[in-house]
Amino acid sequence: MLEIKNLHASIGNTKILKGLDLTVNSGEVHAIMGPNGSGKSTLASVIAGREDYDVTDGEINFQGNELSDIGPDERAREGIFLAFQYPVEIPGVSTTNFMKTAVNQIRESKGEKPLDAVEFLKLMKEKMKLVNIKQELLSRSINEGFSGGEKKRNEIFQMAMLDPKLSILDETDSGLDIDALKIVSNGVNALKSKENATVVVTHYQRLLDYIVPDFVHVLMDGKIVKSGDKNLALELEEKGYDWIKVKN
Amino acid sequence: MIDTVDLKKSISIEEDNIIKEIKSESLDKIKLSYKKYKEEYKYTPLLRNIEKKYGSFNSSENIKKADSYKDLISTKDKHYIVILNGSYIENISNIPNSIDIKNIKDLSKNEQNIFIDSYSKIDDSTDDIFSSINTILHSNCLTFKINKSTILKEKISIINIVDSSKPTYFRKCFIIDKNSEISFSEEFINVTRDGNFSNSVTEIYMDENAVFNYFSTQNISKNYHFNSINVFQKRNSTSNFHTYSFSGSIIRNNLNIKLLDKSCYANMYGFYAIKNSSHIDNHTSVDHIDENSISNEHYKGIVDDGSIGVFNGKIFVRQRAQKTNAFQSNNNILLSDNAKVNTKPQLEIWADDVKCSHGCTVGQLDDDALFYLMSRGISRKDAISLLLSAFSTDITEKIADKVIREEYQLMILKELEDLNYE
Ligand SMILES: Nc1ncnc2c1ncn2[C@@H]1O[C@H](COP(=O)(O)OP(=O)(O)O)[C@@H](O)[C@H]1O
Ligand SMILES: [Mg+2]
């Protein structure tokens, strides 16, 4: 589904990703771990198509298409979803209105007819249950004045609404208490299928008790330096990232 | 200095003695107002442009038959007032019974005195050169009398038609009697192929407990437009001004509100979205003269291409005006490197028990927000429209009437579609 080869990305003169390879197939859950500043969010943003980053070398293929000339809106329509580490607050636009526009633009791009108000409300109600989010919150300005947990639940709610093929969850666990963590993880697990794939970015092992990965990768200094199964996460938790540095 | 020969000639042919006197007084002040011009119009070279284009300030009479303007009336409006180059066109207007519109010269002596008392006491008459020129050169001062305890829920639409190759002058004087509540919307339409200079001065006198709602839409791409509104409020009265500007060669809006008594309430809201080489200048002032009054002012603007936005907000709080609340802010988004905004608050406070705040911002479209919206599948163009219309909501939501609010929101959406953002 996703195939990244020798990816180099920089912002201004700062090189951040320095030759990164990653392959994700449908049905799989991958975890990307790494210390702060190693380039995890950059990788997530570059896959989602953020234009502030320059891809100076390498390529990203998604379902057989090379993405370099494709904007973030089209990538989303192809099925890529990014749950932001820091969800943006947008005064004056409600999440409901936002999602209605997004869902219908995606439908339109597939040649499907837009949902009417009743159909949309039905879809919303169904997905709201999944992450235990209230309608009142969704009728407010996007993320404005939301608590950390509410913002993260809103991300997973949007993911549920858009039903993506590849979901990238950037530090979705950070700032969540254990109850919120369970709600968010249950939501993600409920959305999992053989047809889609999930990339979980985190620097704590804790989340991986709830969203169990098939593969764990360690990202350091812009490269994946080690890959393994879920036991690698436990080992990292125990020994810290220095353990890998020493080994290399 | 401006050429006063034409101005003098115009005064000499005035037949009404009282009006002649008022005009002469304005002429006497013109030197003074020219001096002020240089400071007050620092970012808006209106005078130079008018002189270059027309040579003279004189107007000419229209020739076309009134009926030919009927198409300009929106079918949505129940009540409308059609004004052509400053003259009231009664036979194609439709006004409610509770309002009386007359040229000041056609009023009885008694009625005339009521208006003359207020007429040309306009706030900026001694300061503003264009107001002075309007006083000297206008030929029809239309008087609007709203009788005591008149409550009209539906707004009345004022359609000002500009059809002349020479400058045009519009002059209005409203008296809103005690306990009345009334709403007007006003628009200027230029039907000529070329631009025009339209100069409009309005005075509004609000008696105790009166409520006055005013909506202005400005979309006159080729026009030079001067619009001065001067408001005088008595105890417990409330004024709500909503000014929406979308295009104009140069538009200068003066909005001056004097809160003469205790417990007055004034709200000034404005939104502008301009492109190409449009130039919008909003100069406002609110003068708190007595205790316990509240003024709120919020203007927001989106400035694209090579267009220019100017905002200047003066707040005066006199020594007697204790317990005043005065708030002001102006926020701008620049969509292009060539767009410009000049924004300046001016506060003069002599009372000590006062709550006052002001703030100006000039920024760009939020790139993080744009990426966030696009990352959910929304096209760049639609994401921009969403963000820009969201930027306008804290202005439009101040319109209390739902129907009018939605009308303006729709109008803004349509205007925003035409903006460019790279
Ligand atoms: N917009 C930016 N401008 C400059 N440097 C950036 C920018 N975004 C990220 N970086 C730098 O790139 C590196 C990787 O950042 P990031 O991808 O956010 O790491 P992580 O998510 O792994 O903590 C950091 O050193 C960070 O300072
Ligand atoms: Mg990060």
Side-chain angles (χ1 to χ4, degrees):
Chain A
M1 177 181 286
L2 178 75
E3 201 180 10
I4 299 177
K5 284 189 231 151
N6 189 34
L7 183 65
H8 286 72
S10 53
I11 192 155
N13 289 325
T14 316
K15 293 195 172 96
I16 305 174
L17 301 180
K18 303 167 183 170
L20 184 142
D21 300 287
L22 179 68
T23 302
V24 178
N25 298 307
S26 23
E28 294 176 351
V29 176
H30 289 244
I32 295 180
M33 303 184 73
N36 266 330
S38 56
K40 303 184 297 298
S41 291
T42 302
L43 174 64
S45 297
V46 170
I47 297 172
R50 176 118 203 190
E51 279 143 358
D52 305 49
Y53 298 96
D54 297 318
V55 173
T56 52
D57 202 0
E59 57 185 59
I60 305 174
N61 291 291
F62 181 66
Q63 297 188 309
N65 295 322
E66 211 280 300
L67 292 183
S68 58
D69 291 334
I70 298 180
D73 49 340
E74 267 183 81
R75 293 185 194 197
R77 290 175 203 164
E78 293 299 320
I80 294 177
F81 181 89
L82 169 61
F84 284 58
Q85 179 175 7
Y86 304 108
V88 184
E89 299 188 5
I90 307 182
V93 186
S94 70
T95 304
T96 307
N97 189 19
F98 170 35
M99 278 297 105
K100 195 168 188 177
T101 312
V103 166
N104 283 335
Q105 286 207 2
I106 291 175
R107 290 180 66 90
E108 228 171 282
S109 75
K110 292 180 184 156
E112 295 165 0
K113 75 177 194 345
L115 297 181
D116 64 29
V118 177
E119 293 166 321
F120 179 76
L121 203 66
K122 192 166 157 253
L123 178 71
M124 253 200 19
K125 287 251 157 78
E126 183 191 320
K127 306 300 182 190
M128 275 156 50
K129 262 194 229 138
L130 203 66
V131 286
N132 192 15
I133 200 165
K134 289 205 179 65
Q135 187 150 12
E136 183 269 329
L137 202 66
L138 301 179
S139 57
R140 277 166 43 188
S141 289
I142 302 170
N143 296 324
E144 200 180 37
F146 285 28
S147 70
E150 285 169 337
K151 283 182 184 169
K152 295 298 166 90
R153 271 188 282 156
N154 191 9
E155 293 296 288
I156 305 305
F157 165 73
Q158 292 173 35
M159 172 180 155
M161 289 296 289
L162 301 183
D163 189 23
K165 297 210 171 66
L166 174 70
S167 305
I168 305 159
L169 312 181
D170 190 0
E171 310 264 3
T172 299
D173 52 334
S174 67
L176 295 187
D177 61 30
I178 198 76
D179 291 334
L181 186 65
K182 278 183 190 159
I183 291 169
V184 164
S185 313
N186 287 340
V188 173
N189 289 330
L191 294 168
K192 224 158 57 179
S193 80
K194 272 196 278 233
E195 275 76 48
N196 62 28
T198 314
V199 175
V200 184
V201 174
T202 181
H203 64 271
Y204 297 114
Q205 187 274 336
R206 188 178 68 152
L207 177 68
L208 305 181
D209 289 340
Y210 298 93
I211 304 173
V212 182
D214 302 302
F215 302 93
V216 173
H217 310 277
V218 181
L219 179 59
M220 282 176 96
D221 195 24
K223 270 192 285 214
I224 288 183
V225 294
K226 195 172 174 60
S227 297
D229 62 11
K230 62 181 177 189
N231 293 317
L232 177 58
L234 294 168
E235 212 171 344
L236 271 174
E237 182 82 353
E238 198 183 315
K239 300 178 179 164
Y241 290 108
D242 288 341
W243 161 65
I244 297 200
K245 264 190 215 148
V246 174
K247 275 184 69 180
N248 279 320
Chain B
M1 186 53 203
I2 68 166
D3 183 5
T4 54
V5 176
D6 285 340
L7 303 180
K8 279 183 185 139
K9 204 191 290 166
S10 156
I11 294 173
S12 71
I13 58 170
E14 177 60 58
E15 286 160 6
D16 189 307
N17 280 333
I18 300 173
I19 292 173
K20 191 171 192 155
E21 201 179 305
I22 290 169
K23 291 187 171 203
S24 305
E25 277 171 25
S26 267
L27 184 66
D28 294 340
K29 290 177 201 152
I30 207 131
K31 261 209 189 97
L32 193 71
S33 42
Y34 183 69
K35 234 196 216 153
K36 282 259 182 181
Y37 171 81
K38 289 183 189 157
E39 182 189 330
E40 290 289 318
Y41 285 74
K42 206 162 144 190
Y43 302 108
T44 300
L46 190 53
L47 199 56
R48 182 170 13 101
N49 279 282
I50 306 294
E51 286 184 323
K52 210 165 80 188
K53 183 149 184 194
Y54 300 100
S56 143
F57 289 99
N58 271 19
S59 64
S60 64
E61 292 307 306
N62 62 291
I63 21 155
K64 266 196 232 162
K65 284 245 293 286
D67 276 355
S68 60
Y69 300 105
K70 260 189 171 155
D71 293 346
L72 299 173
I73 301 164
S74 159
T75 49
K76 275 187 307 202
D77 293 327
K78 187 169 163 205
H79 294 297
Y80 40 87
I81 296 165
V82 182
I83 298 169
L84 173 63
N85 297 340
S87 316
Y88 174 43
I89 312 294
E90 196 169 352
N91 63 335
I92 60 169
S93 297
N94 179 23
I95 61 167
N97 296 329
S98 39
I99 301 186
D100 210 9
I101 305 176
K102 281 209 179 89
N103 192 318
I104 199 163
K105 291 172 191 167
D106 300 331
L107 294 173
S108 71
K109 261 279 149 305
N110 242 351
E111 291 172 316
Q112 210 180 43
N113 282 338
I114 297 175
F115 280 96
I116 293 288
D117 266 352
S118 17
Y119 179 56
S120 104
K121 281 199 191 126
I122 51 167
D123 204 11
D124 57 14
S125 64
T126 52
D127 295 339
D128 196 288
I129 192 148
F130 293 103
S131 287
S132 304
I133 290 171
N134 185 297
T135 302
I136 297 163
L137 290 180
H138 79 277
S139 43
N140 301 285
C141 173
L142 302 180
T143 61
F144 298 69
K145 178 108 170 40
I146 320 299
N147 291 324
K148 229 201 279 194
S149 303
T150 303
I151 309 266
L152 271 182
K153 285 287 168 209
E154 269 166 302
K155 79 174 158 69
I156 300 164
S157 157
I158 304 175
I159 304 157
N160 299 284
I161 301 166
V162 175
D163 190 359
S164 171
S165 56
K166 294 204 170 157
T168 51
Y169 296 91
F170 296 78
R171 184 74 171 220
K172 303 183 188 81
C173 191
F174 291 82
I175 291 185
I176 325 286
D177 224 332
K178 282 192 184 101
N179 305 320
S180 291
E181 177 172 352
I182 192 151
S183 309
F184 287 96
S185 66
E186 183 164 48
E187 188 178 1
F188 283 79
I189 300 174
N190 171 28
V191 297
T192 64
R193 247 187 310 123
D194 306 313
N196 184 276
F197 171 51
S198 40
N199 177 326
S200 171
V201 173
T202 303
E203 294 145 85
I204 300 162
Y205 297 88
M206 298 174 60
D207 214 329
E208 290 175 15
N209 297 313
V211 177
F212 186 77
N213 302 310
Y214 175 90
F215 302 87
S216 161
T217 312
Q218 304 179 321
N219 210 343
I220 30 173
S221 56
K222 287 166 292 188
N223 255 46
Y224 294 107
H225 184 61
F226 171 79
N227 188 34
S228 171
I229 295 178
N230 306 276
V231 189
F232 302 83
Q233 290 187 224
K234 290 276 188 68
R235 188 183 288 233
N236 280 326
S237 60
T238 302
S239 66
N240 298 302
F241 287 88
H242 307 268
T243 308
Y244 289 83
S245 312
F246 301 110
S247 71
S249 280
I250 293 181
I251 295 179
R252 165 70 172 227
N253 290 315
N254 290 356
L255 174 58
N256 306 306
I257 301 182
K258 271 193 193 307
L259 305 175
L260 303 168
D261 268 348
K262 294 184 174 66
S263 306
C264 295
Y265 195 17
N267 295 302
M268 297 169 266
Y269 301 111
F271 179 76
Y272 41 97
I274 50 174
K275 56 179 183 291
N276 300 327
S277 56
S278 280
H279 181 132
I280 310 289
D281 178 347
N282 283 299
H283 261 65
T284 66
S285 77
V286 56
D287 192 354
H288 287 259
I289 296 168
D290 211 333
E291 297 174 354
N292 259 320
S293 290
I294 301 173
S295 65
N296 284 306
E297 174 169 33
H298 197 180
Y299 276 68
K300 287 182 109 174
I302 299 165
V303 184
D304 196 7
D305 300 329
S307 58
I308 297 173
V310 180
F311 175 83
N312 184 292
K314 295 190 179 94
I315 298 175
F316 302 103
V317 181
R318 311 278 170 148
Q319 199 163 11
R320 195 145 51 93
Q322 299 296 351
K323 304 224 171 340
T324 286
N325 281 289
F327 306 107
Q328 178 193 91
S329 73
N330 172 236
N331 312 106
N332 299 279
I333 291 182
L334 297 179
L335 290 186
S336 121
D337 292 342
N338 296 322
K340 272 199 214 88
V341 165
N342 280 295
T343 172
K344 187 177 164 199
Q346 249 174 287
L347 276 63
E348 289 181 34
I349 299 169
W350 293 285
D352 41 35
D353 184 9
V354 167
K355 272 199 203 113
C356 234
S357 75
H358 66 92
C360 306
T361 61
V362 182
Q364 265 104 33
L365 201 65
D366 180 351
D367 268 342
D368 290 332
L370 188 59
F371 176 60
Y372 191 67
L373 295 178
M374 287 178 74
S375 78
R376 302 307 188 233
I378 299 175
S379 72
R380 186 180 173 80
K381 191 168 166 20
D382 290 335
I384 292 169
S385 293
L386 258 178
L387 289 176
L388 294 181
S389 79
F391 179 71
S392 73
T393 51
D394 36 350
I395 302 301
T396 52
E397 75 187 9
K398 297 299 189 325
I399 301 177
D401 183 290
K402 187 166 177 271
V403 176
I404 303 176
R405 184 170 61 242
E406 284 171 359
E407 183 189 321
Y408 276 87
Q409 281 167 342
L410 215 66
M411 189 189 299
I412 287 174
L413 274 185
K414 227 180 104 241
E415 291 296 328
L416 294 181
E417 269 178 18
D418 297 335
L419 296 179
N420 307 302
Y421 178 67
E422 288 315 317

